[in-house]
Coordinates of all heavy atoms in Angstrom, one line a residue:
A11 N 0.8 -1.2 0.0 CA 0.0 0.0 0.0 C 0.9 1.3 0.0 O 0.4 2.3 -0.4 CB -0.9 0.0 1.2
G12 N 2.1 1.1 0.5 CA 2.9 2.3 0.6 C 4.2 2.4 -0.3 O 4.9 3.3 -0.2
R13 N 4.4 1.3 -1.1 CA 5.6 1.3 -2.0 C 5.4 0.4 -3.1 O 4.5 -0.5 -3.1 CB 6.8 0.9 -1.2 CG 6.6 -0.4 -0.5 CD 7.9 -1.0 0.0 NE 8.7 -1.5 -1.2 CZ 10.0 -1.9 -1.1 NH1 10.6 -1.9 0.0 NH2 10.6 -2.3 -2.2
R14 N 6.2 0.6 -4.2 CA 6.2 -0.3 -5.3 C 6.9 -1.6 -4.9 O 8.1 -1.5 -4.5 CB 6.8 0.3 -6.5 CG 6.8 -0.5 -7.8 CD 7.4 0.3 -9.0 NE 7.3 -0.5 -10.2 CZ 6.3 -0.5 -11.0 NH1 5.2 0.3 -10.7 NH2 6.3 -1.2 -12.1
M15 N 6.3 -2.8 -5.1 CA 6.9 -4.0 -4.8 C 7.7 -4.6 -6.0 O 7.2 -4.5 -7.1 CB 5.9 -5.0 -4.2 CG 5.1 -4.5 -3.0 SD 6.2 -4.0 -1.6 CE 6.8 -5.6 -1.1
P16 N 8.8 -5.3 -5.8 CA 9.5 -6.0 -6.9 C 8.7 -7.1 -7.5 O 7.8 -7.6 -6.9 CB 10.8 -6.4 -6.2 CG 10.5 -6.6 -4.8 CD 9.5 -5.5 -4.5
G17 N 9.1 -7.5 -8.7 CA 8.4 -8.5 -9.4 C 8.3 -9.9 -8.8 O 7.3 -10.6 -8.9
A18 N 9.3 -10.2 -8.0 CA 9.3 -11.6 -7.4 C 8.4 -11.7 -6.2 O 7.9 -12.8 -5.8 CB 10.7 -11.9 -6.9
W19 N 8.1 -10.5 -5.6 CA 7.2 -10.5 -4.4 C 5.8 -11.0 -4.7 O 5.2 -10.7 -5.7 CB 7.2 -9.1 -3.8 CG 6.2 -9.0 -2.6 CD1 6.5 -9.2 -1.3 CD2 4.9 -8.5 -2.6 NE1 5.4 -9.0 -0.5 CE2 4.4 -8.6 -1.3 CE3 4.0 -8.1 -3.6 CZ2 3.1 -8.2 -0.9 CZ3 2.7 -7.8 -3.3 CH2 2.3 -7.8 -2.0
T20 N 5.3 -11.8 -3.8 CA 3.9 -12.3 -3.9 C 3.0 -11.8 -2.8 O 3.5 -11.7 -1.7 CB 3.8 -13.8 -4.0 OG1 4.4 -14.4 -2.8 CG2 4.6 -14.4 -5.2
G21 N 1.8 -11.5 -3.1 CA 0.8 -11.1 -2.1 C -0.3 -10.2 -2.8 O -0.2 -10.0 -4.0
H22 N -1.2 -9.7 -2.0 CA -2.3 -8.9 -2.5 C -1.7 -7.5 -2.7 O -1.4 -6.8 -1.7 CB -3.4 -8.9 -1.4 CG -4.6 -8.2 -1.9 ND1 -5.8 -8.4 -1.3 CD2 -4.8 -7.2 -2.8 CE1 -6.7 -7.6 -1.8 NE2 -6.1 -6.9 -2.8
D23 N -1.6 -7.1 -3.9 CA -1.0 -5.8 -4.2 C -2.0 -4.6 -4.0 O -3.1 -4.5 -4.6 CB -0.6 -5.7 -5.7 CG 0.3 -4.5 -6.0 OD1 0.4 -3.6 -5.1 OD2 0.9 -4.5 -7.1
L24 N -1.7 -3.8 -3.0 CA -2.6 -2.7 -2.6 C -1.9 -1.4 -3.0 O -2.1 -0.3 -2.4 CB -2.8 -2.7 -1.1 CG -3.6 -3.9 -0.6 CD1 -3.5 -4.1 0.9 CD2 -5.0 -3.9 -1.0
G25 N -1.1 -1.5 -4.1 CA -0.3 -0.3 -4.5 C -1.1 0.9 -4.8 O -2.2 0.9 -5.4
G26 N -0.6 2.0 -4.3 CA -1.2 3.3 -4.6 C -2.1 3.9 -3.5 O -2.4 5.1 -3.5
I27 N -2.5 3.1 -2.6 CA -3.4 3.5 -1.6 C -2.9 4.6 -0.7 O -3.5 5.6 -0.4 CB -4.0 2.3 -0.8 CG1 -4.8 1.4 -1.7 CG2 -4.8 2.8 0.5 CD1 -5.4 0.2 -1.0
I28 N -1.7 4.4 -0.1 CA -1.2 5.4 0.8 C -0.8 6.7 0.0 O -1.0 7.8 0.5 CB 0.0 4.9 1.6 CG1 -0.5 3.8 2.6 CG2 0.8 6.0 2.3 CD1 0.6 3.2 3.5
A29 N -0.3 6.5 -1.2 CA -0.1 7.7 -2.1 C -1.4 8.5 -2.3 O -1.4 9.8 -2.2 CB 0.5 7.3 -3.4
A30 N -2.5 7.8 -2.5 CA -3.8 8.5 -2.7 C -4.2 9.2 -1.4 O -4.7 10.3 -1.5 CB -4.8 7.5 -3.1
C31 N -3.9 8.6 -0.3 CA -4.3 9.2 1.0 C -3.4 10.5 1.2 O -4.0 11.5 1.6 CB -4.0 8.2 2.1 SG -5.2 6.9 2.3
R32 N -2.2 10.4 0.9 CA -1.3 11.6 1.0 C -1.8 12.7 0.1 O -1.8 13.9 0.5 CB 0.1 11.2 0.7 CG 1.1 12.3 0.8 CD 2.6 11.9 0.6 NE 2.8 11.3 -0.8 CZ 3.0 10.1 -1.1 NH1 3.1 9.2 -0.1 NH2 3.2 9.7 -2.3
A33 N -2.1 12.4 -1.1 CA -2.5 13.4 -2.1 C -3.8 14.1 -1.7 O -4.0 15.2 -2.0 CB -2.6 12.8 -3.5
N34 N -4.7 13.4 -1.0 CA -6.0 13.9 -0.6 C -6.1 14.2 0.9 O -7.2 14.5 1.3 CB -7.0 12.9 -1.0 CG -7.1 12.7 -2.6 OD1 -7.7 13.6 -3.2 ND2 -6.5 11.7 -3.1
Q35 N -5.0 14.2 1.6 CA -5.0 14.5 3.0 C -5.9 13.6 3.8 O -6.6 14.1 4.7 CB -5.3 16.0 3.2 CG -4.2 16.9 2.7 CD -4.5 18.4 3.1 OE1 -5.5 19.0 2.5 NE2 -3.8 19.0 3.9
V36 N -5.9 12.4 3.5 CA -6.7 11.4 4.2 C -5.8 10.7 5.2 O -4.8 10.2 4.8 CB -7.3 10.4 3.2 CG1 -8.0 9.2 3.9 CG2 -8.4 11.1 2.3
A37 N -6.3 10.6 6.4 CA -5.5 10.0 7.5 C -5.3 8.5 7.2 O -6.3 7.8 6.8 CB -6.2 10.2 8.8
V38 N -4.1 8.0 7.4 CA -3.8 6.5 7.2 C -3.8 5.9 8.6 O -2.9 6.1 9.4 CB -2.5 6.3 6.5 CG1 -2.1 4.8 6.4 CG2 -2.6 6.9 5.1
M39 N -4.7 5.0 8.9 CA -4.7 4.2 10.1 C -4.2 2.8 9.7 O -4.9 2.0 9.0 CB -6.1 4.1 10.7 CG -6.8 5.4 10.9 SD -8.5 5.3 11.5 CE -8.3 4.8 13.2
A40 N -3.0 2.5 10.0 CA -2.4 1.2 9.6 C -3.0 0.1 10.4 O -3.0 0.1 11.6 CB -0.9 1.2 9.8
I41 N -3.5 -1.0 9.7 CA -4.1 -2.1 10.4 C -3.4 -3.4 10.0 O -2.6 -3.4 9.0 CB -5.6 -2.2 10.1 CG1 -5.8 -2.5 8.6 CG2 -6.4 -1.0 10.6 CD1 -7.3 -2.8 8.2
R42 N -3.6 -4.4 10.8 CA -3.0 -5.7 10.6 C -1.5 -5.6 10.6 O -0.8 -6.3 9.9 CB -3.5 -6.4 9.3 CG -5.0 -6.9 9.4 CD -5.1 -7.9 10.5 NE -6.5 -8.4 10.6 CZ -6.9 -9.6 10.3 NH1 -6.1 -10.5 9.8 NH2 -8.2 -9.9 10.5
I43 N -1.0 -4.8 11.4 CA 0.5 -4.6 11.5 C 1.2 -5.8 12.0 O 2.4 -6.0 11.7 CB 0.9 -3.3 12.3 CG1 0.6 -3.5 13.8 CG2 0.1 -2.1 11.7 CD1 1.2 -2.4 14.6
F44 N 0.5 -6.6 12.8 CA 1.1 -7.9 13.3 C 0.6 -9.1 12.4 O 0.9 -10.2 12.8 CB 0.7 -8.1 14.7 CG 1.1 -7.0 15.7 CD1 0.3 -6.6 16.6 CD2 2.4 -6.5 15.6 CE1 0.6 -5.6 17.5 CE2 2.8 -5.5 16.5 CZ 1.9 -5.0 17.4
G45 N -0.1 -8.8 11.3 CA -0.6 -9.9 10.5 C -1.5 -10.9 11.2 O -1.3 -12.1 11.1
A46 N -2.4 -10.4 12.0 CA -3.3 -11.2 12.8 C -2.5 -12.0 13.9 O -3.0 -13.0 14.4 CB -4.2 -12.1 12.0
G47 N -1.4 -11.5 14.3 CA -0.6 -12.1 15.3 C 0.5 -13.0 14.8 O 1.5 -13.3 15.5
V48 N 0.5 -13.4 13.5 CA 1.5 -14.3 12.9 C 2.9 -13.7 12.9 O 3.8 -14.4 13.2 CB 1.0 -14.7 11.5 CG1 2.1 -15.5 10.8 CG2 -0.3 -15.5 11.5
I49 N 3.0 -12.4 12.7 CA 4.3 -11.7 12.7 C 4.8 -11.6 14.1 O 6.0 -11.8 14.3 CB 4.2 -10.3 12.0 CG1 3.8 -10.4 10.6 CG2 5.5 -9.6 12.1 CD1 3.4 -9.1 9.9
A50 N 3.9 -11.4 15.0 CA 4.3 -11.1 16.4 C 4.8 -12.3 17.2 O 5.6 -12.2 18.1 CB 3.2 -10.3 17.1
T51 N 4.2 -13.4 17.0 CA 4.4 -14.6 17.8 C 4.1 -15.9 17.1 O 3.4 -15.9 16.1 CB 3.6 -14.5 19.1 OG1 3.8 -15.7 19.9 CG2 2.1 -14.4 18.8
D52 N 4.7 -17.0 17.6 CA 4.4 -18.3 17.1 C 3.2 -18.9 17.8 O 2.8 -20.0 17.4 CB 5.6 -19.2 17.2 CG 6.7 -18.9 16.2 OD1 6.4 -18.4 15.1 OD2 7.9 -19.1 16.5

């Protein structure tokens, strides 16, 4: 959502969303920062 991803990367591409928020002064509330807990813990 916040950067261009390289070609090898796999995932749901949300490209352009944060740039659109910045251009329109829309607040960005980052969610799933822990990936539903998967990133934070086993």
Side-chain angles (χ1 to χ4, degrees):
R13 54 163 290 170
R14 185 178 181 85
M15 302 304 292
W19 175 85
T20 57
H22 185 161
D23 191 350
L24 297 165
I27 290 177
I28 289 181
C31 288
R32 180 176 62 248
N34 293 282
Q35 294 184 289
V36 171
V38 174
M39 304 174 76
I41 61 171
R42 290 297 179 110
I43 69 170
F44 301 135
V48 173
I49 299 171
T51 178
D52 289 330

